[in-house]
Amino acid sequence: MPAASVQDALDLRERVLADYERILGDDHPNTLTARHNLAISYSDAGRVQDALNLRERVLADYERILGDDHPNTLTARHNLAHARDAAAAVQQPDTATPATVSDLQSPSVAPE
């Protein structure tokens, strides 16, 4: 994907998240999904730490709002662990097998 397209996607997802936060609030399910989608875009753009930080926030929000055993919480926990493994593999390519972060499923699908 050309760099301009990646930046365009980031800009759009950041605007969508800001709009959801403003209109629906920080805890609305669609806002959480938009936050998760932005984390995926950060990963795709190589912004690994930004992606990890956002995935941690998504997981904390799901745990707080939906509980530890909700399917979205479990998926977010799995996605964060996978993203951490992928980040570690990039930092130590000789000792780990790289994982593809963008192959992860989002907790749910919300219209953007």
Side-chain angles (χ1 to χ4, degrees), residues 1-15 42 45 47:
M1 181 184 299
S5 296
V6 171
Q7 188 58 51
D8 290 345
L10 283 173
D11 292 345
L12 178 60
R13 290 202 177 199
E14 287 172 346
R15 284 194 312 268
Y42 283 157
R47 293 174 57 180

Side-chain angles (χ1 to χ4, degrees), residues 13-31:
R13 290 202 177 199
E14 287 172 346
R15 284 194 312 268
V16 166
L17 177 57
D19 287 346
Y20 279 19
E21 288 171 340
R22 181 176 47 83
I23 296 167
L24 301 175
D26 287 342
D27 294 344
H28 191 279
N30 289 359
T31 303

Side-chain angles (χ1 to χ4, degrees), residues 2-83:
S5 296
V6 171
Q7 188 58 51
D8 290 345
L10 283 173
D11 292 345
L12 178 60
R13 290 202 177 199
E14 287 172 346
R15 284 194 312 268
V16 166
L17 177 57
D19 287 346
Y20 279 19
E21 288 171 340
R22 181 176 47 83
I23 296 167
L24 301 175
D26 287 342
D27 294 344
H28 191 279
N30 289 359
T31 303
L32 299 179
T33 298
R35 196 171 289 128
H36 176 263
N37 290 340
L38 179 57
I40 291 171
S41 291
Y42 283 157
S43 293
D44 291 344
R47 293 174 57 180
V48 175
Q49 192 58 53
D50 289 333
L52 288 173
N53 292 343
L54 210 49
R55 285 180 186 278
E56 289 170 357
R57 180 174 176 192
V58 168
L59 175 58
D61 289 344
Y62 275 129
E63 289 172 340
R64 179 176 49 81
I65 296 164
L66 301 175
D68 290 338
D69 296 328
H70 190 279
N72 289 4
T73 304
L74 298 174
T75 299
R77 187 174 296 119
H78 169 79
N79 289 350
L80 175 59
H82 190 67

